[in-house]
Amino acid sequence: MTEMETVSRLLHELWPLMRSLTGDGVRQTHAKLSDVVPLDTFEIPSGTEVFDWTVPDEWRFKEAYVIDPNGNRILDASVNTLHLVNYSMPFSGTVSLDELKEHLYTLPDQPNAIPYVTSYYTRRWGFCLSHNMLSTLPEGQYSVVVDTEFLNGGMTLSEIVLPGDSEKEVFFSTYTCHPSMANNELSGPLTASLLAQRLSNRKKRRYTYRFVFVPETIGAIAYLHRKGEHLKKNMVAGYVVTCTGLDLPFTYQKSRQGDSAADRAAEFALEANGEPFNVRDFVPFGSDERQYCSPGFNLPVGSLMRGPYNTYPEYHTSLDNLDMVTPANILKSVDAYEAICDTLEQNRTYLNLRPHCEPFLTKHNLYQTVNAATQRAQIQTILWLLNLSDSNHDLVAISKRSGTSLQELSEVATILSNASLLKQLD
Amino acid sequence: MTEMETVSRLLHELWPLMRSLTGDGVRQTHAKLSDVVPLDTFEIPSGTEVFDWTVPDEWRFKEAYVIDPNGNRILDASVNTLHLVNYSMPFSGTVSLDELKEHLYTLPDQPNAIPYVTSYYTRRWGFCLSHNMLSTLPEGQYSVVVDTEFLNGGMTLSEIVLPGDSEKEVFFSTYTCHPSMANNELSGPLTASLLAQRLSNRKKRRYTYRFVFVPETIGAIAYLHRKGEHLKKNMVAGYVVTCTGLDLPFTYQKSRQGDSAADRAAEFALEANGEPFNVRDFVPFGSDERQYCSPGFNLPVGSLMRGPYNTYPEYHTSLDNLDMVTPANILKSVDAYEAICDTLEQNRTYLNLRPHCEPFLTKHNLYQTVNAATQRAQIQTILWLLNLSDSNHDLVAISKRSGTSLQELSEVATILSNASLLKQLD
Amino acid sequence: MTEMETVSRLLHELWPLMRSLTGDGVRQTHAKLSDVVPLDTFEIPSGTEVFDWTVPDEWRFKEAYVIDPNGNRILDASVNTLHLVNYSMPFSGTVSLDELKEHLYTLPDQPNAIPYVTSYYTRRWGFCLSHNMLSTLPEGQYSVVVDTEFLNGGMTLSEIVLPGDSEKEVFFSTYTCHPSMANNELSGPLTASLLAQRLSNRKKRRYTYRFVFVPETIGAIAYLHRKGEHLKKNMVAGYVVTCTGLDLPFTYQKSRQGDSAADRAAEFALEANGEPFNVRDFVPFGSDERQYCSPGFNLPVGSLMRGPYNTYPEYHTSLDNLDMVTPANILKSVDAYEAICDTLEQNRTYLNLRPHCEPFLTKHNLYQTVNAATQRAQIQTILWLLNLSDSNHDLVAISKRSGTSLQELSEVATILSNASLLKQLD
């Protein structure tokens, strides 16, 4: 199966699942993602204290719908998961239209859209529908069925760790708690899965790669509670993978540090790519970088997006659907994240072992016998590497200064290392 | 009496006094300013050595005028104090027009203006007049009376200290040595007095506020000789209050340090105000910041002006008069200086006490039940405060980063402190 | 003899000499330059190891030419030294046109120009000619004479050291290995010689001045091998003097450090001069700054040029001749380098000995009795010097801040030092 087919199949299989902070919808989602790369899935018990938070009761969803006065089944969550307010408490009974309306949510400004509403920490039940549909509801008695249950279960998290030559890690976090929406969020876990698959197929990885799949906020907090100190010690660069599916220019949101290795690699890779892109500063009300970049951790975690949350009108509604998000869009994001990984893998720091004057390149057989134009460029690359390899300049810095690609610098640096003129640091 | 009435009355009462480096004109001026806020006045004896300088003899002025050949009393200092060269030595006698002219000063380029001339450190006598009047003086004998006296007296300085919760001080210095001119200088001591009055009426002051009223240069030097080490130890921010009376945009002159707390607060308050303003760098030939910012002290002293000395044509002439300087202009400067004080008072630094991930705001009752738009903004303010309160960002920095007003940040920070999520530093 | 006559005579006398890395052409060149200032000439034996390099065999040139099938002597190095590939191995024999062509070098894109070709580290022989001439060579047998010899001799270097009050050195390096070309290179050693002559005529030098004349690359490397540690210890500022002869705006190439004393002085002097100029960053493939700025030395060595190598079409061809480079052009470069020396000589750092408040200038007789306009400017100069002489600002910094010329600051600083208000540091 091609990557395109994998993404296409998963978009459709994952679409109807009732994802939430907890529950079988999440478990099924992680199981399907495990077809792409094998995830290590684990549960954190309800009631576990994680920093200032408590893991909530598990929410079990069976079915939810309303029977209108004419006997028609409407607002059926099996038709669209968004119809049910996520984490609704159980209810069964007959109510008047006025009573029902106290439990209905619409978007008057977007009358065609069903809103996405959650009620994680206040127990209530409710249904979401388009504002247009609301006006068509007839007077009369409505029969309501919300067959859900809260139980002392667990919260489902998954991860995959791809070991590399170094224990230093590149980190990716994505979330799997949103039901039937496409850019936010199916694009995120699919981008992460495909990227993990590609990296798992590599014969050689310099860094260890860690991918985590968690419910947003509480999941990231629980993960940090377990692994925060490990990440502080080992993380070279990290990214929150979300909103990667729209056909828009890339937006890179910097880590809180603002000039971390994550930021330098992402901006470098985007510049090398050549297409226009946006960069914005960290703000503390985005996605899970809120937790990773909280001041107690301050991890080097940025986020590369195509159509960030809150910036497109379909966000958090039923209009954020599979018409907007194509497999090709998602794979382009996989490419971009892979280019960042390549930048991190290639960005080394060298030390000139003969720092007094230039070495005599002829003696080291470093004058190639190809045509003059190529030779001249290669000699300049050699001279940049020798001159700036003083332990203060990595290859990204030398690339920016010299205009030579990272790939070319990396290859020539290997030649110079083999000639004992450079030594790789770190 | 309203502030407007106070300023208006004082402008007219202070106008005719023969101010100078020393003498009764200064004492009367300080006494009248004491009606606004009670000043602590003290004298430094003539002959006292202060750094490289010596406090000069006290100058006592009784009267000064000339009788022209026609018997008319002209150049009478009781009509305009500027007619007498300030610090003139005593003289009484009859001179020819030619002899008299050796003692006359005019401004040929501003023929309507009487210049302001001083002779502090060379003993001579002289009169100032408009160039137009000079050409009308008839030939003949002139009778000159300069009834002044030098004596071993004192130099008059005043100050008021408004204690605050902290011994750290905000400092204001203004000068009272210029006779009948309005922008430079009556605007300065009036602005300082009114500001002191407002601050003295406050029930709570975080900082101690110190206002000093001194003759320019020698007064500031004498004050620094007494209190320089105290100021070095305690001054948070300081300002030279002068030239605050013209109907022009504000000009803020930075302290020599260039990025001191004084500069940050002044520029922040001016930006928050929203009106256009100018900022200029410190230069060592302005007013008393020359002394406060001399390299041995290098205090954080800037100056907020409206129509700085040397930049308007009426400067140091009889045209710098009460037509140009209105009480409303002066009170606008009081407002601006008070906004700077508010900035300093409100600009605190906090430490996030739960720095690992966001706290669970619901648990701390920090989700208000007001309408969503307001709540969203307040939540963002909370998140900015929590995220950036790492001891490296004060509220001014968080305000610049977040676009939230200092007032809003200050209020929310207090809420978060009460919830034990933040702790105030310093 | 005027400077103009000296430069003119030397341009013509040095033009025909067969300069190279080594040999009598270099020795004769240095001997002629010694007429301007007496150079201390020394030899480094062939085979000496200098860092990664080995000093090559000495190349002795007697004559080189070709006899064409019609008996005409062509490509005669005594007509133009560029006809012979520099460092050609000896050869004598008769060859066909096709065989000869394997040893001929032309520039098809510049058909009128004879290229400059060297073969220092590969033993071969060859001739250079214009592409136009190549097409006129008839078929037939050619008699070739390359009367050269490699021997275990030496490489010729020269220097002159002009002692100053301080052991700290200002350094100039120029090269003398290019045969008959004018901008690159005769302009360089002539500019250096004339500058050395001017400085040697000065009665007082604050700094020691060192001028070195070396073959490019291997000469600079050999010099650094001998004197590198001395230069690291003593060099205040250095410059590679090359390509100073074209009638173009100055281009200053910064040292690798980018903000060294060499860079500050050069940019300051160029700004003070007022003519437009260019500044460019260090690149590791220019001239001998490649060696001086290698990371093991990282000396403060920049280069001031008029028409840098590689940027003009006549570079490294017979068209880089005396039509392009006039004595006036060269002397303008001498002027510019001398202005840099003046900047370095005048740029001192002072400490205010009365840093608390301004001193009482009247007491120190620092109020001059000249006209008011001049006095005001001088007082401002005094106040700038007193205020910024806190050991962190040198005169160049004070000049930039105040807009006062270095000359004026230097004179006033001397007055203030004599008045015991300033003390010169370093």
Side-chain angles (χ1 to χ4, degrees), chain C residues 353-373:
Chain C
L353 296 176
R354 291 187 177 274
H356 293 94
C357 303
E358 294 171 359
F360 184 34
L361 298 182
T362 305
K363 192 170 82 178
H364 300 281
N365 295 315
L366 290 168
Y367 274 106
Q368 305 221 342
T369 51
V370 291
N371 70 70

PDB file of all heavy atoms in Angstrom, chain C residues 353-373:
ATOM      1  N   LEU C 353      38.913  61.669  35.924  1.00  0.00           N
ATOM      2  CA  LEU C 353      39.471  61.631  37.288  1.00  0.00           C
ATOM      3  C   LEU C 353      38.584  62.354  38.293  1.00  0.00           C
ATOM      4  O   LEU C 353      38.828  62.287  39.490  1.00  0.00           O
ATOM      5  CB  LEU C 353      40.875  62.247  37.285  1.00  0.00           C
ATOM      6  CG  LEU C 353      41.900  61.474  36.451  1.00  0.00           C
ATOM      7  CD1 LEU C 353      43.228  62.223  36.425  1.00  0.00           C
ATOM      8  CD2 LEU C 353      42.103  60.067  37.010  1.00  0.00           C
ATOM      9  N   ARG C 354      37.592  63.076  37.836  1.00  0.00           N
ATOM     10  CA  ARG C 354      36.612  63.716  38.720  1.00  0.00           C
ATOM     11  C   ARG C 354      35.229  63.290  38.256  1.00  0.00           C
ATOM     12  O   ARG C 354      34.447  64.092  37.735  1.00  0.00           O
ATOM     13  CB  ARG C 354      36.738  65.242  38.654  1.00  0.00           C
ATOM     14  CG  ARG C 354      38.023  65.765  39.282  1.00  0.00           C
ATOM     15  CD  ARG C 354      37.984  67.287  39.336  1.00  0.00           C
ATOM     16  NE  ARG C 354      39.168  67.835  39.983  1.00  0.00           N
ATOM     17  CZ  ARG C 354      39.296  68.004  41.281  1.00  0.00           C
ATOM     18  NH1 ARG C 354      38.307  67.678  42.102  1.00  0.00           N
ATOM     19  NH2 ARG C 354      40.408  68.501  41.782  1.00  0.00           N
ATOM     20  N   PRO C 355      34.900  62.016  38.446  1.00  0.00           N
ATOM     21  CA  PRO C 355      33.684  61.478  37.815  1.00  0.00           C
ATOM     22  C   PRO C 355      32.391  61.859  38.517  1.00  0.00           C
ATOM     23  O   PRO C 355      31.322  61.583  37.994  1.00  0.00           O
ATOM     24  CB  PRO C 355      33.915  59.968  37.882  1.00  0.00           C
ATOM     25  CG  PRO C 355      34.736  59.773  39.106  1.00  0.00           C
ATOM     26  CD  PRO C 355      35.638  60.973  39.187  1.00  0.00           C
ATOM     27  N   HIS C 356      32.492  62.469  39.698  1.00  0.00           N
ATOM     28  CA  HIS C 356      31.265  62.808  40.434  1.00  0.00           C
ATOM     29  C   HIS C 356      30.865  64.229  40.089  1.00  0.00           C
ATOM     30  O   HIS C 356      31.470  65.188  40.554  1.00  0.00           O
ATOM     31  CB  HIS C 356      31.474  62.649  41.941  1.00  0.00           C
ATOM     32  CG  HIS C 356      31.680  61.226  42.343  1.00  0.00           C
ATOM     33  ND1 HIS C 356      32.935  60.663  42.481  1.00  0.00           N
ATOM     34  CD2 HIS C 356      30.791  60.230  42.600  1.00  0.00           C
ATOM     35  CE1 HIS C 356      32.804  59.391  42.819  1.00  0.00           C
ATOM     36  NE2 HIS C 356      31.516  59.092  42.895  1.00  0.00           N
ATOM     37  N   CYS C 357      29.809  64.362  39.310  1.00  0.00           N
ATOM     38  CA  CYS C 357      29.334  65.651  38.783  1.00  0.00           C
ATOM     39  C   CYS C 357      30.373  66.213  37.809  1.00  0.00           C
ATOM     40  O   CYS C 357      31.470  65.688  37.678  1.00  0.00           O
ATOM     41  CB  CYS C 357      29.033  66.657  39.890  1.00  0.00           C
ATOM     42  SG  CYS C 357      27.827  66.062  41.084  1.00  0.00           S
ATOM     43  N   GLU C 358      29.984  67.278  37.130  1.00  0.00           N
ATOM     44  CA  GLU C 358      30.934  67.967  36.258  1.00  0.00           C
ATOM     45  C   GLU C 358      31.960  68.698  37.101  1.00  0.00           C
ATOM     46  O   GLU C 358      31.642  69.196  38.175  1.00  0.00           O
ATOM     47  CB  GLU C 358      30.196  69.012  35.424  1.00  0.00           C
ATOM     48  CG  GLU C 358      29.230  68.425  34.437  1.00  0.00           C
ATOM     49  CD  GLU C 358      28.364  69.495  33.800  1.00  0.00           C
ATOM     50  OE1 GLU C 358      28.515  70.683  34.158  1.00  0.00           O
ATOM     51  OE2 GLU C 358      27.538  69.145  32.962  1.00  0.00           O
ATOM     52  N   PRO C 359      33.183  68.792  36.626  1.00  0.00           N
ATOM     53  CA  PRO C 359      34.119  69.695  37.314  1.00  0.00           C
ATOM     54  C   PRO C 359      33.717  71.148  37.035  1.00  0.00           C
ATOM     55  O   PRO C 359      32.944  71.437  36.120  1.00  0.00           O
ATOM     56  CB  PRO C 359      35.467  69.353  36.690  1.00  0.00           C
ATOM     57  CG  PRO C 359      35.164  68.693  35.398  1.00  0.00           C
ATOM     58  CD  PRO C 359      33.806  68.082  35.506  1.00  0.00           C
ATOM     59  N   PHE C 360      34.248  72.045  37.853  1.00  0.00           N
ATOM     60  CA  PHE C 360      33.979  73.481  37.710  1.00  0.00           C
ATOM     61  C   PHE C 360      34.964  74.028  36.675  1.00  0.00           C
ATOM     62  O   PHE C 360      36.105  74.365  36.988  1.00  0.00           O
ATOM     63  CB  PHE C 360      34.157  74.158  39.075  1.00  0.00           C
ATOM     64  CG  PHE C 360      33.816  75.614  39.078  1.00  0.00           C
ATOM     65  CD1 PHE C 360      32.796  76.125  38.279  1.00  0.00           C
ATOM     66  CD2 PHE C 360      34.508  76.485  39.905  1.00  0.00           C
ATOM     67  CE1 PHE C 360      32.488  77.479  38.307  1.00  0.00           C
ATOM     68  CE2 PHE C 360      34.195  77.841  39.936  1.00  0.00           C
ATOM     69  CZ  PHE C 360      33.180  78.335  39.132  1.00  0.00           C
ATOM     70  N   LEU C 361      34.515  74.065  35.427  1.00  0.00           N
ATOM     71  CA  LEU C 361      35.428  74.332  34.313  1.00  0.00           C
ATOM     72  C   LEU C 361      36.133  75.673  34.442  1.00  0.00           C
ATOM     73  O   LEU C 361      37.301  75.810  34.064  1.00  0.00           O
ATOM     74  CB  LEU C 361      34.674  74.258  32.987  1.00  0.00           C
ATOM     75  CG  LEU C 361      34.063  72.885  32.656  1.00  0.00           C
ATOM     76  CD1 LEU C 361      33.394  72.923  31.292  1.00  0.00           C
ATOM     77  CD2 LEU C 361      35.122  71.795  32.689  1.00  0.00           C
ATOM     78  N   THR C 362      35.447  76.680  34.977  1.00  0.00           N
ATOM     79  CA  THR C 362      36.041  78.010  35.131  1.00  0.00           C
ATOM     80  C   THR C 362      37.332  77.931  35.948  1.00  0.00           C
ATOM     81  O   THR C 362      38.357  78.521  35.604  1.00  0.00           O
ATOM     82  CB  THR C 362      35.040  78.934  35.847  1.00  0.00           C
ATOM     83  OG1 THR C 362      33.818  78.925  35.114  1.00  0.00           O
ATOM     84  CG2 THR C 362      35.577  80.355  35.938  1.00  0.00           C
ATOM     85  N   LYS C 363      37.270  77.142  37.022  1.00  0.00           N
ATOM     86  CA  LYS C 363      38.427  77.004  37.898  1.00  0.00           C
ATOM     87  C   LYS C 363      39.626  76.427  37.161  1.00  0.00           C
ATOM     88  O   LYS C 363      40.764  76.731  37.469  1.00  0.00           O
ATOM     89  CB  LYS C 363      38.027  76.091  39.064  1.00  0.00           C
ATOM     90  CG  LYS C 363      38.985  76.048  40.203  1.00  0.00           C
ATOM     91  CD  LYS C 363      38.383  75.301  41.400  1.00  0.00           C
ATOM     92  CE  LYS C 363      38.507  73.800  41.268  1.00  0.00           C
ATOM     93  NZ  LYS C 363      37.977  73.078  42.430  1.00  0.00           N
ATOM     94  N   HIS C 364      39.330  75.568  36.184  1.00  0.00           N
ATOM     95  CA  HIS C 364      40.413  74.914  35.440  1.00  0.00           C
ATOM     96  C   HIS C 364      40.778  75.693  34.179  1.00  0.00           C
ATOM     97  O   HIS C 364      41.496  75.168  33.326  1.00  0.00           O
ATOM     98  CB  HIS C 364      39.997  73.483  35.088  1.00  0.00           C
ATOM     99  CG  HIS C 364      39.694  72.649  36.300  1.00  0.00           C
ATOM    100  ND1 HIS C 364      40.674  72.076  37.072  1.00  0.00           N
ATOM    101  CD2 HIS C 364      38.517  72.313  36.894  1.00  0.00           C
ATOM    102  CE1 HIS C 364      40.117  71.408  38.080  1.00  0.00           C
ATOM    103  NE2 HIS C 364      38.809  71.541  37.996  1.00  0.00           N
ATOM    104  N   ASN C 365      40.258  76.929  34.072  1.00  0.00           N
ATOM    105  CA  ASN C 365      40.552  77.784  32.913  1.00  0.00           C
ATOM    106  C   ASN C 365      40.177  77.109  31.596  1.00  0.00           C
ATOM    107  O   ASN C 365      40.890  77.213  30.605  1.00  0.00           O
ATOM    108  CB  ASN C 365      42.033  78.159  32.888  1.00  0.00           C
ATOM    109  CG  ASN C 365      42.380  79.004  34.085  1.00  0.00           C
ATOM    110  OD1 ASN C 365      41.645  79.940  34.421  1.00  0.00           O
ATOM    111  ND2 ASN C 365      43.468  78.656  34.762  1.00  0.00           N
ATOM    112  N   LEU C 366      39.056  76.413  31.605  1.00  0.00           N
ATOM    113  CA  LEU C 366      38.649  75.697  30.396  1.00  0.00           C
ATOM    114  C   LEU C 366      37.575  76.443  29.613  1.00  0.00           C
ATOM    115  O   LEU C 366      37.141  75.981  28.574  1.00  0.00           O
ATOM    116  CB  LEU C 366      38.173  74.294  30.757  1.00  0.00           C
ATOM    117  CG  LEU C 366      39.338  73.404  31.204  1.00  0.00           C
ATOM    118  CD1 LEU C 366      38.833  72.132  31.833  1.00  0.00           C
ATOM    119  CD2 LEU C 366      40.253  73.102  30.042  1.00  0.00           C
ATOM    120  N   TYR C 367      37.135  77.584  30.149  1.00  0.00           N
ATOM    121  CA  TYR C 367      36.261  78.424  29.340  1.00  0.00           C
ATOM    122  C   TYR C 367      37.144  79.365  28.544  1.00  0.00           C
ATOM    123  O   TYR C 367      37.809  80.241  29.100  1.00  0.00           O
ATOM    124  CB  TYR C 367      35.305  79.244  30.222  1.00  0.00           C
ATOM    125  CG  TYR C 367      34.045  78.520  30.580  1.00  0.00           C
ATOM    126  CD1 TYR C 367      33.858  78.017  31.865  1.00  0.00           C
ATOM    127  CD2 TYR C 367      33.035  78.332  29.637  1.00  0.00           C
ATOM    128  CE1 TYR C 367      32.698  77.343  32.197  1.00  0.00           C
ATOM    129  CE2 TYR C 367      31.869  77.667  29.975  1.00  0.00           C
ATOM    130  CZ  TYR C 367      31.702  77.172  31.258  1.00  0.00           C
ATOM    131  OH  TYR C 367      30.552  76.513  31.578  1.00  0.00           O
ATOM    132  N   GLN C 368      37.207  79.159  27.277  1.00  0.00           N
ATOM    133  CA  GLN C 368      38.056  80.015  26.464  1.00  0.00           C
ATOM    134  C   GLN C 368      37.346  81.343  26.223  1.00  0.00           C
ATOM    135  O   GLN C 368      36.129  81.460  26.367  1.00  0.00           O
ATOM    136  CB  GLN C 368      38.357  79.325  25.145  1.00  0.00           C
ATOM    137  CG  GLN C 368      38.970  77.952  25.374  1.00  0.00           C
ATOM    138  CD  GLN C 368      40.086  77.660  24.428  1.00  0.00           C
ATOM    139  OE1 GLN C 368      40.200  78.307  23.403  1.00  0.00           O
ATOM    140  NE2 GLN C 368      40.920  76.713  24.784  1.00  0.00           N
ATOM    141  N   THR C 369      38.102  82.330  25.846  1.00  0.00           N
ATOM    142  CA  THR C 369      37.538  83.668  25.691  1.00  0.00           C
ATOM    143  C   THR C 369      37.299  84.011  24.225  1.00  0.00           C
ATOM    144  O   THR C 369      37.185  85.177  23.864  1.00  0.00           O
ATOM    145  CB  THR C 369      38.476  84.716  26.307  1.00  0.00           C
ATOM    146  OG1 THR C 369      39.777  84.501  25.788  1.00  0.00           O
ATOM    147  CG2 THR C 369      38.480  84.620  27.818  1.00  0.00           C
ATOM    148  N   VAL C 370      37.214  82.974  23.405  1.00  0.00           N
ATOM    149  CA  VAL C 370      36.940  83.216  21.975  1.00  0.00           C
ATOM    150  C   VAL C 370      35.457  83.483  21.796  1.00  0.00           C
ATOM    151  O   VAL C 370      34.708  83.630  22.762  1.00  0.00           O
ATOM    152  CB  VAL C 370      37.388  82.008  21.143  1.00  0.00           C
ATOM    153  CG1 VAL C 370      38.914  81.928  21.167  1.00  0.00           C
ATOM    154  CG2 VAL C 370      36.756  80.753  21.682  1.00  0.00           C
ATOM    155  N   ASN C 371      35.014  83.491  20.556  1.00  0.00           N
ATOM    156  CA  ASN C 371      33.610  83.826  20.308  1.00  0.00           C
ATOM    157  C   ASN C 371      32.682  82.716  20.796  1.00  0.00           C
ATOM    158  O   ASN C 371      33.071  81.548  20.925  1.00  0.00           O
ATOM    159  CB  ASN C 371      33.379  84.123  18.820  1.00  0.00           C
ATOM    160  CG  ASN C 371      33.482  82.881  17.984  1.00  0.00           C
ATOM    161  OD1 ASN C 371      32.615  82.011  18.052  1.00  0.00           O
ATOM    162  ND2 ASN C 371      34.558  82.760  17.213  1.00  0.00           N
ATOM    163  N   ALA C 372      31.458  83.095  21.045  1.00  0.00           N
ATOM    164  CA  ALA C 372      30.527  82.207  21.726  1.00  0.00           C
ATOM    165  C   ALA C 372      30.262  80.906  20.959  1.00  0.00           C
ATOM    166  O   ALA C 372      30.177  79.830  21.553  1.00  0.00           O
ATOM    167  CB  ALA C 372      29.204  82.932  21.970  1.00  0.00           C
ATOM    168  N   ALA C 373      30.171  81.006  19.629  1.00  0.00           N
ATOM    169  CA  ALA C 373      29.836  79.804  18.848  1.00  0.00           C
ATOM    170  C   ALA C 373      30.910  78.746  19.032  1.00  0.00           C
ATOM    171  O   ALA C 373      30.635  77.583  19.311  1.00  0.00           O
ATOM    172  CB  ALA C 373      29.681  80.167  17.372  1.00  0.00           C
TER     173      ALA C 373
END
